[in-house]
Amino acid sequence: TRLRVLYGVVNALYAQLRALLAPHYALVLDTTVAQLQRFGVALASLDAQEEADRREKPAPGALWAAVLESVRLSALHDGAGDVWSEDALRRVFRPLADQLANTKAPSYDAYVARVRASLAPAASALLAASGNDAMWKMLNQAVLLRTRSDYACVRHGALLVLQACYERLGEEYLILLPETIPHLAELLEDDDPRVERATHETIKLIESYLGESLQSYLR
């Protein structure tokens, strides 16, 4: 409850002070990383390990959404790079991607909705704040790994994060297209029609920035 109040205050202050508050987000950065680690499900070398971790994690709720909103707002207003240095980004990118594997949700649609509303905007805002394609690559690779999850909702969620990154960075993000194409090609044959549909949407979005069809690369 105290953490929900803390992040509620932080987010309300960002609405009022914006860039003036940005340097002070460093005061809660350790707490933010800790909360992302608490909710996130890390990739494990053994499926059984990952499943055990998933069962133990709390279900994302109001606190989770508030933490991610604080990440989004801090990145949005961190024009001088006071908070999101390369070291800070390295600390947060993997735990951020690990949120995708927390599948505790009332339904498939509820999972997709929370990724669209909270996780994808936070991830894309961080990438925009970094302005560093080496950092983009780090998060992109972590998200792409989740496109091979056994859970359809996680594969769908990973696509939503990719879409948000392209929508935020546009043509600049095409630098990571070569490593993304093999994953899109696999998802075009996904067993779940919702994932397949989201893959077509992602491809269409990328093509709008690329200016040409991707079909020849996806065969």
Side-chain angles (χ1 to χ4, degrees):
T1 303
R2 284 179 293 180
L3 284 173
R4 282 178 59 183
V5 171
L6 170 64
Y7 281 99
V9 170
V10 168
N11 294 340
L13 287 173
Y14 264 116
Q16 298 295 323
L17 302 176
R18 303 190 180 187
L20 291 175
L21 187 66
H24 302 289
Y25 191 77
L27 297 172
V28 297
L29 182 57
D30 288 347
T31 304
T32 295
V33 173
Q35 288 304 306
L36 291 176
Q37 290 170 338
R38 188 168 78 91
F39 285 104
V41 178
L43 278 172
S45 56
L46 297 174
D47 289 344
Q49 267 184 306
E50 190 170 326
E51 282 303 317
D53 190 26
R54 184 177 285 106
R55 286 194 297 270
E56 293 173 2
K57 295 296 181 176
L63 173 59
W64 181 84
V67 170
L68 287 173
E69 178 65 0
S70 78
V71 170
R72 186 188 74 84
L73 290 170
S74 64
L76 182 65
H77 297 299
D78 189 30
D82 294 318
V83 176
W84 294 111
S85 63
E86 188 169 315
D87 285 344
L89 290 166
R90 287 182 184 279
R91 290 182 62 199
V92 81
F93 272 168
R94 193 163 298 281
L96 194 68
D98 288 346
Q99 306 309 304
L100 285 165
N102 189 326
T103 56
K104 289 185 176 178
S107 65
Y108 185 106
D109 288 345
Y111 171 93
V112 168
R114 80 175 185 222
V115 171
R116 195 189 303 274
S118 299
L119 181 57
S124 60
L126 272 182
L127 288 186
S130 73
N132 180 331
D133 57 18
M135 292 293 97
W136 299 352
K137 186 179 181 72
M138 181 183 297
L139 182 60
N140 196 65
Q141 287 178 335
V143 171
L144 288 176
L145 286 173
R146 300 302 187 172
T147 66
R148 290 173 174 158
S149 170
D150 290 338
Y151 290 84
C153 63
V154 175
R155 301 193 298 274
H156 193 160
L159 287 166
L160 292 177
V161 174
L162 289 177
Q163 288 175 19
C165 293
Y166 276 99
E167 288 169 349
R168 189 64 182 265
L169 295 167
E171 292 180 5
E172 293 180 79
Y173 207 61
L174 291 172
I175 193 170
L176 299 176
L177 182 57
E179 67 187 47
T180 304
I181 282 177
H183 295 265
L184 294 176
E186 291 175 9
L187 291 171
L188 280 173
E189 301 177 357
D190 201 275
D191 293 336
D192 193 297
R194 295 166 295 190
V195 177
E196 186 181 351
R197 192 159 52 244
T199 305
H200 282 288
E201 292 169 358
T202 305
I203 291 169
K204 184 176 180 180
L205 176 64
I206 293 172
E207 288 175 340
S208 72
Y209 294 112
L210 186 63
E212 63 177 281
S213 173
L214 282 176
Q215 294 310 308
S216 61
Y217 303 104
L218 293 167
R219 291 171 185 163

